[in-house]
Amino acid sequence: MTLAVPQLAKAASVRRLSPRLDHILAPDAACETIATGIQWAEGPLWVPSQSALFFSDPPANLIRRWRRDEGAIPYLHPSGAAGTDPKLVREPGANGLALGADGRLRIADSGTRAITALDLATKAKTVLVDRYRGKRFNSPNDLHIARSGAIYFTDPPYGLADGDQSPLKELDQNGVYRWTPGGEAVLLDGTLTRPNGIALSPDERTLYVSVSDKDAAGVYAYALDAAGDVGGRRLLFDARPMLANDAPGITDGMKVAADGTLFCSAPGGLLVMTPEAEPLGLISDGRAIANCCFGEDGRTLFMTASDRVLRLPLRINGLKA
């Protein structure tokens, strides 16, 4: 199913595409801006033990923390690699964030070109995996941790200044990978031009991957077997028609609610759709919305939107079915 975006949104709004959206968002739900002044907001993650939202700013090499009582403050700098050459490295900082069962952050570390773990108390960082068959990753972008502890992640070349032509690029592919603690990275798909956002369905039988190449913008769905390996791949949602009228953004980060509803970055904002790819609504504020997460009591949607972070109340609990 495809969806055209007729015009740019000039203020925070929700375009209702189906009455079914009312189960998810109240018709009068108001979108609140909770942080501004960010170079490029990414990787939102709610950490219950801290009662805080963490989010990254890859070009600024910074992770910030937001709490209701203190707003957004710098938490970690550098969040990725220090001392990189800006002529070679476009995004030296952390990108996607996830929370491990041990309470440590897991980071798609664009600058370090690795998947890393960060102790929230000491801020000590550990490299978990940084190579596939002996060659360094390009710039890990986003990740999802399965219940088994396996990490699924994407590795486009966005962190490198010259992309595919970068002299730092060691791998031929821009891959989708799975890494299991104690093992090596496994390439699940090396054919996507710009793999970006990644998430698992609640039953972990489907892997979703977004492609942020304008010529192939969309969301793919992979069937997973009991071992976590991919079977068939299908195009779940073709986002190319949404690029009309210079709509801001692209298919980027995504999250899947506990009931299976997908919240996907898309041209024009953040698309809410069913697991069958029926569009329910489009959240827009005139900027590219790069990623999102559920937080607080699970009934809050946080969105990283270009130079700011947005907060929107939900009727569903994204964290609990």
Side-chain angles (χ1 to χ4, degrees), residues 103-168:
R104 294 188 299 168
L105 291 188
R106 302 296 189 268
I107 301 173
D109 194 327
S110 181
T112 306
R113 299 169 67 185
I115 300 298
T116 60
L118 181 76
D119 186 295
L120 287 168
T122 67
K123 299 184 181 180
K125 184 189 289 187
T126 303
V127 172
L128 301 178
V129 59
D130 62 356
R131 284 170 169 77
Y132 173 68
R133 294 185 175 177
K135 295 183 178 181
R136 292 189 70 188
F137 293 127
N138 304 318
S139 52
N141 187 279
D142 208 352
L143 73 169
H144 184 109
I145 306 174
R147 286 189 287 271
S148 66
I151 298 176
Y152 292 81
F153 64 98
T154 57
D155 185 42
Y158 284 131
L160 305 177
D162 296 315
D164 289 327
Q165 284 69 52
S166 171
L168 299 179

Short mmCIF file of all heavy atoms in Angstrom, two decimals, residues 103-168:
data_model
loop_
_atom_site.label_atom_id
_atom_site.label_comp_id
_atom_site.label_asym_id
_atom_site.label_seq_id
_atom_site.Cartn_x
_atom_site.Cartn_y
_atom_site.Cartn_z
N GLY A 103 21.24 -3.59 32.16
CA GLY A 103 21.13 -2.19 32.53
C GLY A 103 22.07 -1.27 31.79
O GLY A 103 22.00 -0.04 31.94
N ARG A 104 22.98 -1.83 31.00
CA ARG A 104 23.89 -0.99 30.22
C ARG A 104 23.24 -0.60 28.89
O ARG A 104 22.43 -1.34 28.33
CB ARG A 104 25.21 -1.71 29.93
CG ARG A 104 26.05 -1.98 31.16
CD ARG A 104 27.44 -2.52 30.77
NE ARG A 104 27.36 -3.79 30.05
CZ ARG A 104 28.39 -4.34 29.40
NH1 ARG A 104 29.57 -3.73 29.39
NH2 ARG A 104 28.24 -5.49 28.79
N LEU A 105 23.63 0.57 28.38
CA LEU A 105 23.20 0.96 27.05
C LEU A 105 23.92 0.11 26.02
O LEU A 105 25.08 -0.27 26.21
CB LEU A 105 23.52 2.44 26.77
CG LEU A 105 22.77 3.53 27.52
CD1 LEU A 105 23.13 4.88 26.92
CD2 LEU A 105 21.28 3.31 27.47
N ARG A 106 23.24 -0.15 24.91
CA ARG A 106 23.88 -0.69 23.72
C ARG A 106 23.79 0.41 22.67
O ARG A 106 22.73 1.01 22.48
CB ARG A 106 23.20 -1.97 23.23
CG ARG A 106 23.15 -3.08 24.26
CD ARG A 106 24.56 -3.58 24.65
NE ARG A 106 24.48 -4.78 25.48
CZ ARG A 106 24.45 -4.80 26.79
NH1 ARG A 106 24.47 -3.65 27.46
NH2 ARG A 106 24.39 -5.93 27.46
N ILE A 107 24.90 0.67 22.02
CA ILE A 107 25.00 1.82 21.14
C ILE A 107 25.40 1.38 19.73
O ILE A 107 26.37 0.64 19.56
CB ILE A 107 26.03 2.83 21.66
CG1 ILE A 107 25.65 3.31 23.06
CG2 ILE A 107 26.17 4.01 20.70
CD1 ILE A 107 26.71 4.18 23.71
N ALA A 108 24.64 1.85 18.74
CA ALA A 108 25.09 1.78 17.36
C ALA A 108 26.04 2.97 17.20
O ALA A 108 25.61 4.10 16.96
CB ALA A 108 23.92 1.86 16.39
N ASP A 109 27.29 2.71 17.38
CA ASP A 109 28.31 3.75 17.54
C ASP A 109 28.90 4.09 16.18
O ASP A 109 29.85 3.46 15.70
CB ASP A 109 29.40 3.23 18.49
CG ASP A 109 30.31 4.32 19.00
OD1 ASP A 109 30.56 5.28 18.25
OD2 ASP A 109 30.79 4.22 20.14
N SER A 110 28.35 5.11 15.57
CA SER A 110 28.75 5.50 14.22
C SER A 110 30.22 5.87 14.15
O SER A 110 30.94 5.44 13.24
CB SER A 110 27.89 6.68 13.75
OG SER A 110 28.22 7.08 12.45
N GLY A 111 30.69 6.67 15.11
CA GLY A 111 32.07 7.14 15.07
C GLY A 111 33.09 6.07 15.36
O GLY A 111 34.13 5.97 14.69
N THR A 112 32.80 5.22 16.35
CA THR A 112 33.71 4.12 16.69
C THR A 112 33.59 2.99 15.68
O THR A 112 34.45 2.11 15.64
CB THR A 112 33.39 3.61 18.11
OG1 THR A 112 33.43 4.72 19.03
CG2 THR A 112 34.40 2.57 18.57
N ARG A 113 32.51 3.01 14.88
CA ARG A 113 32.25 2.01 13.84
C ARG A 113 32.11 0.63 14.49
O ARG A 113 32.72 -0.34 14.08
CB ARG A 113 33.34 2.03 12.77
CG ARG A 113 33.43 3.38 12.06
CD ARG A 113 34.65 3.52 11.20
NE ARG A 113 34.60 2.60 10.06
CZ ARG A 113 35.60 2.45 9.19
NH1 ARG A 113 36.71 3.15 9.36
NH2 ARG A 113 35.49 1.60 8.20
N ALA A 114 31.26 0.59 15.53
CA ALA A 114 31.11 -0.63 16.32
C ALA A 114 29.77 -0.63 17.04
O ALA A 114 29.09 0.40 17.12
CB ALA A 114 32.24 -0.72 17.35
N ILE A 115 29.41 -1.78 17.56
CA ILE A 115 28.33 -1.88 18.55
C ILE A 115 29.02 -1.89 19.91
O ILE A 115 29.89 -2.72 20.16
CB ILE A 115 27.49 -3.14 18.35
CG1 ILE A 115 26.86 -3.16 16.96
CG2 ILE A 115 26.43 -3.25 19.43
CD1 ILE A 115 25.90 -2.01 16.69
N THR A 116 28.65 -0.95 20.76
CA THR A 116 29.32 -0.81 22.03
C THR A 116 28.32 -0.90 23.18
O THR A 116 27.11 -0.81 22.99
CB THR A 116 30.08 0.54 22.12
OG1 THR A 116 29.15 1.62 21.96
CG2 THR A 116 31.14 0.63 21.04
N ALA A 117 28.85 -1.09 24.39
CA ALA A 117 28.04 -1.10 25.61
C ALA A 117 28.55 0.01 26.52
O ALA A 117 29.76 0.22 26.63
CB ALA A 117 28.13 -2.45 26.31
N LEU A 118 27.62 0.70 27.18
CA LEU A 118 27.98 1.82 28.04
C LEU A 118 27.37 1.62 29.42
O LEU A 118 26.16 1.45 29.56
CB LEU A 118 27.49 3.14 27.45
CG LEU A 118 27.83 4.39 28.26
CD1 LEU A 118 29.29 4.77 28.07
CD2 LEU A 118 26.91 5.55 27.87
N ASP A 119 28.22 1.66 30.45
CA ASP A 119 27.75 1.61 31.83
C ASP A 119 27.23 2.99 32.20
O ASP A 119 27.96 3.99 32.15
CB ASP A 119 28.91 1.21 32.75
CG ASP A 119 28.47 0.99 34.18
OD1 ASP A 119 28.04 1.97 34.82
OD2 ASP A 119 28.57 -0.15 34.66
N LEU A 120 25.97 3.08 32.57
CA LEU A 120 25.36 4.38 32.85
C LEU A 120 25.93 5.05 34.09
O LEU A 120 25.92 6.28 34.19
CB LEU A 120 23.84 4.22 33.00
CG LEU A 120 23.07 3.97 31.71
CD1 LEU A 120 21.64 3.55 32.01
CD2 LEU A 120 23.09 5.20 30.82
N ALA A 121 26.42 4.27 35.03
CA ALA A 121 26.98 4.85 36.27
C ALA A 121 28.40 5.36 36.07
O ALA A 121 28.73 6.48 36.48
CB ALA A 121 26.93 3.82 37.39
N THR A 122 29.24 4.55 35.45
CA THR A 122 30.65 4.92 35.29
C THR A 122 30.96 5.56 33.95
O THR A 122 32.03 6.14 33.77
CB THR A 122 31.53 3.67 35.45
OG1 THR A 122 31.27 2.78 34.35
CG2 THR A 122 31.23 2.95 36.76
N LYS A 123 30.06 5.40 32.98
CA LYS A 123 30.25 5.86 31.60
C LYS A 123 31.40 5.13 30.91
O LYS A 123 31.93 5.60 29.90
CB LYS A 123 30.44 7.37 31.54
CG LYS A 123 29.23 8.14 32.07
CD LYS A 123 29.40 9.64 31.92
CE LYS A 123 28.17 10.36 32.50
NZ LYS A 123 28.27 11.82 32.38
N ALA A 124 31.78 3.98 31.44
CA ALA A 124 32.80 3.15 30.79
C ALA A 124 32.18 2.47 29.58
O ALA A 124 31.08 1.92 29.65
CB ALA A 124 33.33 2.11 31.76
N LYS A 125 32.91 2.50 28.47
CA LYS A 125 32.41 1.93 27.22
C LYS A 125 33.22 0.69 26.85
O LYS A 125 34.44 0.66 26.99
CB LYS A 125 32.49 2.96 26.10
CG LYS A 125 31.90 2.48 24.77
CD LYS A 125 32.19 3.44 23.63
CE LYS A 125 31.38 4.71 23.77
NZ LYS A 125 31.55 5.57 22.56
N THR A 126 32.50 -0.31 26.34
CA THR A 126 33.12 -1.56 25.89
C THR A 126 32.71 -1.83 24.46
O THR A 126 31.51 -1.73 24.12
CB THR A 126 32.66 -2.74 26.77
OG1 THR A 126 32.98 -2.46 28.14
CG2 THR A 126 33.33 -4.03 26.34
N VAL A 127 33.66 -2.15 23.61
CA VAL A 127 33.35 -2.54 22.23
C VAL A 127 32.89 -3.99 22.24
O VAL A 127 33.60 -4.88 22.71
CB VAL A 127 34.57 -2.36 21.31
CG1 VAL A 127 34.28 -2.95 19.93
CG2 VAL A 127 34.94 -0.88 21.19
N LEU A 128 31.70 -4.25 21.72
CA LEU A 128 31.16 -5.60 21.65
C LEU A 128 31.53 -6.29 20.34
O LEU A 128 31.95 -7.43 20.33
CB LEU A 128 29.64 -5.58 21.82
CG LEU A 128 29.12 -4.98 23.13
CD1 LEU A 128 27.60 -4.97 23.14
CD2 LEU A 128 29.68 -5.75 24.33
N VAL A 129 31.36 -5.58 19.24
CA VAL A 129 31.72 -6.13 17.93
C VAL A 129 31.97 -4.96 16.99
O VAL A 129 31.22 -3.98 16.98
CB VAL A 129 30.63 -7.07 17.39
CG1 VAL A 129 29.29 -6.36 17.24
CG2 VAL A 129 31.04 -7.73 16.08
N ASP A 130 33.05 -5.02 16.24
CA ASP A 130 33.38 -3.92 15.33
C ASP A 130 33.81 -4.38 13.94
O ASP A 130 34.20 -3.56 13.11
CB ASP A 130 34.49 -3.04 15.92
CG ASP A 130 35.81 -3.78 16.14
OD1 ASP A 130 35.86 -5.01 15.91
OD2 ASP A 130 36.78 -3.12 16.55
N ARG A 131 33.68 -5.71 13.69
CA ARG A 131 34.12 -6.22 12.40
C ARG A 131 33.24 -7.35 11.90
O ARG A 131 32.63 -8.08 12.69
CB ARG A 131 35.57 -6.72 12.48
CG ARG A 131 36.61 -5.60 12.49
CD ARG A 131 38.01 -6.12 12.81
NE ARG A 131 39.02 -5.10 12.56
CZ ARG A 131 39.29 -4.08 13.35
NH1 ARG A 131 38.60 -3.94 14.47
NH2 ARG A 131 40.23 -3.20 13.04
N TYR A 132 33.20 -7.47 10.60
CA TYR A 132 32.59 -8.62 9.95
C TYR A 132 33.66 -9.27 9.08
O TYR A 132 34.21 -8.65 8.18
CB TYR A 132 31.40 -8.20 9.08
CG TYR A 132 30.84 -9.33 8.24
CD1 TYR A 132 30.19 -10.41 8.85
CD2 TYR A 132 30.97 -9.33 6.86
CE1 TYR A 132 29.69 -11.44 8.09
CE2 TYR A 132 30.47 -10.37 6.09
CZ TYR A 132 29.83 -11.42 6.71
OH TYR A 132 29.34 -12.47 5.96
N ARG A 133 33.99 -10.50 9.44
CA ARG A 133 35.03 -11.26 8.74
C ARG A 133 36.33 -10.46 8.63
O ARG A 133 36.98 -10.41 7.59
CB ARG A 133 34.55 -11.70 7.36
CG ARG A 133 33.41 -12.71 7.43
CD ARG A 133 33.02 -13.24 6.07
NE ARG A 133 32.01 -14.29 6.20
CZ ARG A 133 31.44 -14.91 5.18
NH1 ARG A 133 31.77 -14.57 3.93
NH2 ARG A 133 30.53 -15.85 5.39
N GLY A 134 36.69 -9.81 9.72
CA GLY A 134 37.96 -9.10 9.81
C GLY A 134 37.95 -7.68 9.27
O GLY A 134 38.95 -6.96 9.42
N LYS A 135 36.85 -7.24 8.68
CA LYS A 135 36.79 -5.89 8.13
C LYS A 135 35.89 -5.01 8.98
O LYS A 135 34.83 -5.44 9.43
CB LYS A 135 36.27 -5.93 6.69
CG LYS A 135 37.20 -6.67 5.73
CD LYS A 135 36.68 -6.61 4.30
CE LYS A 135 37.65 -7.29 3.35
NZ LYS A 135 37.16 -7.23 1.94
N ARG A 136 36.31 -3.78 9.18
CA ARG A 136 35.57 -2.86 10.04
C ARG A 136 34.22 -2.50 9.45
O ARG A 136 34.05 -2.38 8.23
CB ARG A 136 36.37 -1.56 10.25
CG ARG A 136 37.64 -1.73 11.07
CD ARG A 136 38.23 -0.39 11.41
NE ARG A 136 37.39 0.35 12.38
CZ ARG A 136 37.61 1.60 12.74
NH1 ARG A 136 38.61 2.28 12.20
NH2 ARG A 136 36.84 2.19 13.63
N PHE A 137 33.24 -2.33 10.34
CA PHE A 137 31.94 -1.87 9.89
C PHE A 137 32.06 -0.47 9.31
O PHE A 137 33.04 0.25 9.56
CB PHE A 137 30.95 -1.87 11.05
CG PHE A 137 30.61 -3.25 11.57
CD1 PHE A 137 30.73 -3.54 12.92
CD2 PHE A 137 30.19 -4.25 10.71
CE1 PHE A 137 30.42 -4.80 13.41
CE2 PHE A 137 29.88 -5.51 11.18
CZ PHE A 137 30.00 -5.79 12.53
N ASN A 138 31.03 -0.06 8.57
CA ASN A 138 30.99 1.28 7.99
C ASN A 138 30.71 2.32 9.07
O ASN A 138 31.57 3.11 9.45
CB ASN A 138 29.91 1.35 6.91
CG ASN A 138 30.08 0.30 5.84
OD1 ASN A 138 31.19 0.05 5.38
ND2 ASN A 138 28.97 -0.31 5.44
N SER A 139 29.48 2.32 9.57
CA SER A 139 29.06 3.23 10.64
C SER A 139 27.70 2.74 11.15
O SER A 139 26.67 3.17 10.65
CB SER A 139 28.96 4.68 10.15
OG SER A 139 28.14 4.76 8.98
N PRO A 140 27.71 1.81 12.12
CA PRO A 140 26.44 1.28 12.63
C PRO A 140 25.46 2.39 12.98
O PRO A 140 25.81 3.39 13.60
CB PRO A 140 26.88 0.49 13.86
CG PRO A 140 28.24 -0.01 13.49
CD PRO A 140 28.86 1.15 12.75
N ASN A 141 24.20 2.18 12.55
CA ASN A 141 23.22 3.25 12.60
C ASN A 141 22.11 3.03 13.62
O ASN A 141 21.75 3.92 14.37
CB ASN A 141 22.61 3.42 11.20
CG ASN A 141 21.69 4.60 11.08
OD1 ASN A 141 20.53 4.54 11.46
ND2 ASN A 141 22.21 5.70 10.54
N ASP A 142 21.53 1.82 13.64
CA ASP A 142 20.43 1.55 14.56
C ASP A 142 20.48 0.09 14.97
O ASP A 142 21.11 -0.74 14.29
CB ASP A 142 19.10 1.89 13.92
CG ASP A 142 18.04 2.29 14.94
OD1 ASP A 142 18.31 2.16 16.16
OD2 ASP A 142 16.94 2.71 14.53
N LEU A 143 19.80 -0.25 16.08
CA LEU A 143 19.90 -1.60 16.61
C LEU A 143 18.64 -1.97 17.38
O LEU A 143 17.88 -1.11 17.82
CB LEU A 143 21.13 -1.75 17.49
CG LEU A 143 21.14 -1.09 18.89
CD1 LEU A 143 22.34 -1.60 19.68
CD2 LEU A 143 21.16 0.43 18.83
N HIS A 144 18.44 -3.27 17.55
CA HIS A 144 17.34 -3.81 18.34
C HIS A 144 17.85 -5.05 19.05
O HIS A 144 18.49 -5.91 18.44
CB HIS A 144 16.15 -4.17 17.44
CG HIS A 144 14.94 -4.63 18.20
ND1 HIS A 144 13.80 -3.87 18.31
CD2 HIS A 144 14.70 -5.77 18.90
CE1 HIS A 144 12.91 -4.52 19.04
NE2 HIS A 144 13.43 -5.68 19.42
N ILE A 145 17.55 -5.15 20.34
CA ILE A 145 18.01 -6.30 21.13
C ILE A 145 16.86 -7.29 21.27
O ILE A 145 15.78 -6.95 21.77
CB ILE A 145 18.49 -5.87 22.53
CG1 ILE A 145 19.55 -4.78 22.43
CG2 ILE A 145 19.04 -7.09 23.29
CD1 ILE A 145 19.97 -4.21 23.77
N ALA A 146 17.09 -8.52 20.83
CA ALA A 146 16.10 -9.58 20.97
C ALA A 146 16.08 -10.08 22.41
O ALA A 146 17.00 -9.83 23.19
CB ALA A 146 16.42 -10.72 20.02
N ARG A 147 15.02 -10.80 22.77
CA ARG A 147 14.93 -11.34 24.13
C ARG A 147 16.07 -12.30 24.44
O ARG A 147 16.47 -12.47 25.60
CB ARG A 147 13.57 -12.03 24.32
CG ARG A 147 12.42 -11.05 24.45
CD ARG A 147 11.13 -11.74 24.84
NE ARG A 147 10.55 -12.51 23.75
CZ ARG A 147 9.71 -12.03 22.84
NH1 ARG A 147 9.34 -10.76 22.89
NH2 ARG A 147 9.21 -12.82 21.90
N SER A 148 16.64 -12.93 23.42
CA SER A 148 17.76 -13.84 23.61
C SER A 148 19.06 -13.12 23.92
O SER A 148 20.04 -13.74 24.34
CB SER A 148 17.96 -14.68 22.34
OG SER A 148 18.39 -13.84 21.26
N GLY A 149 19.08 -11.81 23.73
CA GLY A 149 20.30 -11.02 23.89
C GLY A 149 21.01 -10.73 22.57
O GLY A 149 21.94 -9.92 22.53
N ALA A 150 20.56 -11.39 21.50
CA ALA A 150 21.14 -11.11 20.18
C ALA A 150 20.80 -9.69 19.77
O ALA A 150 19.72 -9.17 20.07
CB ALA A 150 20.60 -12.10 19.16
N ILE A 151 21.73 -9.03 19.09
CA ILE A 151 21.55 -7.66 18.63
C ILE A 151 21.44 -7.65 17.12
O ILE A 151 22.35 -8.13 16.42
CB ILE A 151 22.69 -6.76 19.09
CG1 ILE A 151 22.75 -6.71 20.63
CG2 ILE A 151 22.53 -5.35 18.52
CD1 ILE A 151 23.92 -5.90 21.16
N TYR A 152 20.35 -7.13 16.62
CA TYR A 152 20.18 -6.91 15.19
C TYR A 152 20.54 -5.45 14.92
O TYR A 152 20.08 -4.55 15.64
CB TYR A 152 18.74 -7.18 14.78
CG TYR A 152 18.34 -8.64 14.86
CD1 TYR A 152 17.96 -9.22 16.07
CD2 TYR A 152 18.34 -9.45 13.72
CE1 TYR A 152 17.59 -10.56 16.14
CE2 TYR A 152 17.98 -10.79 13.78
CZ TYR A 152 17.61 -11.33 15.00
OH TYR A 152 17.26 -12.66 15.07
N PHE A 153 21.32 -5.19 13.87
CA PHE A 153 21.72 -3.81 13.61
C PHE A 153 21.96 -3.55 12.13
O PHE A 153 22.17 -4.49 11.35
CB PHE A 153 22.95 -3.42 14.44
CG PHE A 153 24.21 -4.18 14.13
CD1 PHE A 153 25.18 -3.63 13.28
CD2 PHE A 153 24.47 -5.42 14.70
CE1 PHE A 153 26.36 -4.32 13.02
CE2 PHE A 153 25.64 -6.10 14.44
CZ PHE A 153 26.59 -5.55 13.60
N THR A 154 21.91 -2.29 11.78
CA THR A 154 22.15 -1.86 10.39
C THR A 154 23.47 -1.11 10.30
O THR A 154 23.92 -0.49 11.27
CB THR A 154 21.02 -0.95 9.89
OG1 THR A 154 20.88 0.18 10.77
CG2 THR A 154 19.70 -1.71 9.82
N ASP A 155 24.07 -1.15 9.12
CA ASP A 155 25.41 -0.57 8.94
C ASP A 155 25.53 0.13 7.59
O ASP A 155 26.24 -0.32 6.70
CB ASP A 155 26.47 -1.67 9.06
CG ASP A 155 27.90 -1.14 9.00
OD1 ASP A 155 28.15 -0.09 9.63
OD2 ASP A 155 28.74 -1.76 8.33
N PRO A 156 24.83 1.27 7.42
CA PRO A 156 25.01 2.07 6.21
C PRO A 156 26.30 2.88 6.31
O PRO A 156 26.96 2.85 7.36
CB PRO A 156 23.78 2.98 6.23
CG PRO A 156 23.53 3.19 7.70
CD PRO A 156 23.87 1.88 8.37
N PRO A 157 26.65 3.64 5.28
CA PRO A 157 27.89 4.43 5.34
C PRO A 157 27.67 5.89 5.72
O PRO A 157 28.53 6.73 5.46
CB PRO A 157 28.41 4.33 3.90
CG PRO A 157 27.17 4.34 3.07
CD PRO A 157 26.11 3.61 3.89
N TYR A 158 26.54 6.21 6.37
CA TYR A 158 26.22 7.61 6.63
C TYR A 158 27.24 8.32 7.52
O TYR A 158 27.39 9.54 7.44
CB TYR A 158 24.83 7.72 7.28
CG TYR A 158 23.70 7.53 6.31
CD1 TYR A 158 22.66 6.66 6.61
CD2 TYR A 158 23.66 8.22 5.11
CE1 TYR A 158 21.60 6.48 5.72
CE2 TYR A 158 22.61 8.04 4.22
CZ TYR A 158 21.59 7.17 4.53
OH TYR A 158 20.55 7.00 3.65
N GLY A 159 27.93 7.60 8.36
CA GLY A 159 28.90 8.25 9.23
C GLY A 159 30.17 8.66 8.53
O GLY A 159 30.96 9.46 9.06
N LEU A 160 30.39 8.12 7.34
CA LEU A 160 31.60 8.43 6.57
C LEU A 160 31.32 9.60 5.64
O LEU A 160 30.30 9.64 4.96
CB LEU A 160 32.04 7.20 5.77
CG LEU A 160 32.26 5.92 6.61
CD1 LEU A 160 32.63 4.76 5.70
CD2 LEU A 160 33.32 6.14 7.67
N ALA A 161 32.25 10.53 5.57
CA ALA A 161 32.03 11.76 4.80
C ALA A 161 31.75 11.50 3.33
O ALA A 161 30.97 12.21 2.71
CB ALA A 161 33.23 12.69 4.97
N ASP A 162 32.36 10.50 2.75
CA ASP A 162 32.19 10.23 1.32
C ASP A 162 31.36 8.98 1.05
O ASP A 162 31.38 8.45 -0.06
CB ASP A 162 33.57 10.09 0.66
CG ASP A 162 34.36 11.39 0.71
OD1 ASP A 162 33.76 12.46 0.43
OD2 ASP A 162 35.54 11.36 1.06
N GLY A 163 30.63 8.52 2.05
CA GLY A 163 29.74 7.40 1.84
C GLY A 163 30.42 6.17 1.27
O GLY A 163 31.47 5.74 1.76
N ASP A 164 29.83 5.62 0.23
CA ASP A 164 30.38 4.41 -0.39
C ASP A 164 31.77 4.63 -0.98
O ASP A 164 32.52 3.67 -1.17
CB ASP A 164 29.44 3.91 -1.48
CG ASP A 164 28.16 3.31 -0.92
OD1 ASP A 164 28.21 2.72 0.17
OD2 ASP A 164 27.11 3.43 -1.58
N GLN A 165 32.10 5.87 -1.27
CA GLN A 165 33.41 6.17 -1.86
C GLN A 165 34.47 6.51 -0.82
O GLN A 165 35.60 6.86 -1.15
CB GLN A 165 33.30 7.34 -2.85
CG GLN A 165 32.67 6.97 -4.20
CD GLN A 165 31.21 6.64 -4.09
OE1 GLN A 165 30.43 7.42 -3.51
NE2 GLN A 165 30.80 5.49 -4.61
N SER A 166 34.12 6.40 0.44
CA SER A 166 35.07 6.76 1.50
C SER A 166 36.29 5.85 1.48
O SER A 166 36.17 4.62 1.35
CB SER A 166 34.40 6.65 2.86
OG SER A 166 35.35 6.80 3.90
N PRO A 167 37.48 6.42 1.63
CA PRO A 167 38.69 5.59 1.73
C PRO A 167 38.72 4.76 3.00
O PRO A 167 39.51 3.82 3.10
CB PRO A 167 39.82 6.61 1.70
CG PRO A 167 39.22 7.89 2.17
CD PRO A 167 37.80 7.86 1.68
N LEU A 168 37.85 5.08 3.97
CA LEU A 168 37.79 4.32 5.22
C LEU A 168 36.92 3.08 5.10
O LEU A 168 36.98 2.19 5.95
CB LEU A 168 37.25 5.19 6.35
CG LEU A 168 38.05 6.44 6.73
CD1 LEU A 168 37.35 7.19 7.85
CD2 LEU A 168 39.48 6.08 7.11
#
